[in-house]
Amino acid sequence: MPGQTTDVKRSVLQRLTRHSPKALARTCSHALLPVECASCGKSLWGDMTPFLCDQCWGSITCLSGPHCPRCYRPFHSRISLRYSPHHRCAACRMHPPAFSGAWTLYPYESSLKKAIGLLKYRGKVSLAKPMAHLLATGLPSLPTIDLVMAVPLHSARLREREYNQSLLLAYNLSKIIQLPLDHTTLIRTRQSTPQTLLSRKERLKNLRRTFAVKTSRDITGKSILLVDDVYTTGTTVNECAKALRKAGSGDVYVVTLARML
């Protein structure tokens, strides 16, 4: 036992001497109140991201390979765009979305899935900032953007959850890319059934006329970057884009942290 205690103290001291002041405080906190990585279960020490170890956070990698240039749906074949680089997926050809383009940056799996669950359902809002950095890191070169917005929650859901995880992401992202955030113009007019419980057909019906623009004068002709956490079928962000375009906005682009594959 004495030998084990000495080894632990030595390990802590080594971490304290090589990390920043913020990491030093985190290491001391984890030494006093042990915390396990939400993904792999390893004990956290000076790991830079709350609730996840550096190894699990570092394992999150961007989606790669060919994808639809409109909605970012991954194509199965790597030669899909070789002869027609602007080829769109069947869904975008049959039912063109209201948004001009979408980027869904990471697969909704493993460590990122755990982190999103902690932010969205467990109140771990300290994860919003590192997630926004993931968004900023994965974004391609943006077209001209005037405003950043988030997919809104209905007031009843907001009172229940006490925060909107998409707005936290949008707020932190807007600071990183230095663009103004508008969190009042786009609103949710009725509380709908959670999309995760519905089929694609039911999702379309469920969200019809759910979003509206409070006043159009602040967005007329302006290009908007709409932020959400997870892209499943695209129904939610598309309905938001419809409301914005109907109110006279310019192009609406979408960025989501993760995509269900």
Side-chain angles (χ1 to χ4, degrees):
M1 288 295 291
Q4 291 178 352
T5 304
T6 302
D7 289 342
V8 170
K9 288 181 178 178
R10 185 182 298 114
S11 175
V12 171
L13 287 172
Q14 288 173 347
R15 291 174 181 274
L16 289 174
T17 55
R18 74 170 186 258
H19 286 309
S20 66
K22 186 180 288 188
L24 300 186
R26 188 179 294 114
T27 301
C28 291
S29 173
H30 289 160
L32 294 170
L33 299 170
V35 178
E36 294 182 346
C37 172
S39 183
C40 71
K42 185 180 80 174
S43 294
L44 301 180
W45 288 92
D47 302 274
M48 299 303 293
T49 305
F51 310 107
L52 283 100
C53 69
D54 289 344
Q55 184 175 356
C56 286
W57 192 253
S59 70
I60 299 171
T61 54
C62 286
L63 287 166
S64 59
H67 54 264
C68 173
R70 185 72 172 267
C71 74
Y72 225 78
R73 179 194 298 271
F75 289 141
H76 294 297
S77 172
R78 292 195 170 272
I79 64 170
S80 300
L81 300 177
R82 179 175 295 177
Y83 302 108
S84 51
H86 302 293
H87 173 72
R88 297 179 182 179
C89 68
C92 286
R93 292 197 309 274
M94 293 174 63
H95 305 287
F99 53 78
S100 299
W103 300 283
T104 52
L105 305 178
Y106 302 90
Y108 183 61
E109 58 188 22
S110 191
S111 301
L112 185 56
K113 183 177 181 179
K114 289 279 188 182
I116 291 173
L118 289 172
L119 171 63
K120 194 168 183 174
Y121 304 114
R122 301 279 299 280
K124 308 302 185 184
V125 296
S126 58
L127 281 165
K129 188 172 182 178
M131 285 183 178
H133 278 280
L134 277 182
L135 278 171
T137 301
L139 271 177
S141 297
L142 288 172
T144 300
I145 300 292
D146 298 306
L147 294 170
V148 177
M149 289 186 180
V151 172
L153 284 180
H154 187 267
S155 57
R157 185 69 56 81
L158 187 59
R159 284 194 297 271
E160 177 186 323
R161 189 177 291 173
E162 299 183 344
Y163 62 93
N164 177 358
Q165 77 283 349
S166 297
L167 181 55
L168 292 177
L169 291 174
Y171 167 73
N172 284 283
L173 179 63
S174 70
K175 293 204 298 184
I176 296 169
I177 62 179
Q178 299 182 333
L179 288 171
L181 175 72
D182 181 328
H183 65 280
T184 60
T185 298
L186 183 63
I187 60 173
R188 200 165 192 141
T189 56
R190 65 183 181 86
Q191 190 170 6
S192 53
T193 304
Q195 291 288 86
T196 53
L197 304 176
L198 305 175
S199 67
R200 179 178 176 82
K201 185 177 180 180
E202 290 170 333
R203 287 168 187 258
L204 293 170
K205 186 177 180 181
N206 183 48
L207 287 180
R208 199 166 294 151
R209 294 184 292 278
T210 295
F211 301 97
V213 169
K214 202 181 248 188
T215 174
S216 61
R217 66 175 181 271
D218 295 330
I219 64 166
T220 301
K222 292 191 175 177
S223 180
I224 295 167
L225 182 64
L226 183 68
V227 179
D228 203 6
D229 53 355
V230 180
Y231 189 110
T232 307
T233 62
T235 306
T236 301
V237 291
N238 192 50
E239 289 298 315
C240 289
K242 282 182 184 178
L244 291 167
R245 294 307 304 269
K246 185 178 179 180
S249 78
D251 287 326
V252 177
Y253 298 94
V254 173
V255 60
T256 56
L257 186 61
R259 185 181 192 113
M260 287 191 180
L261 300 176

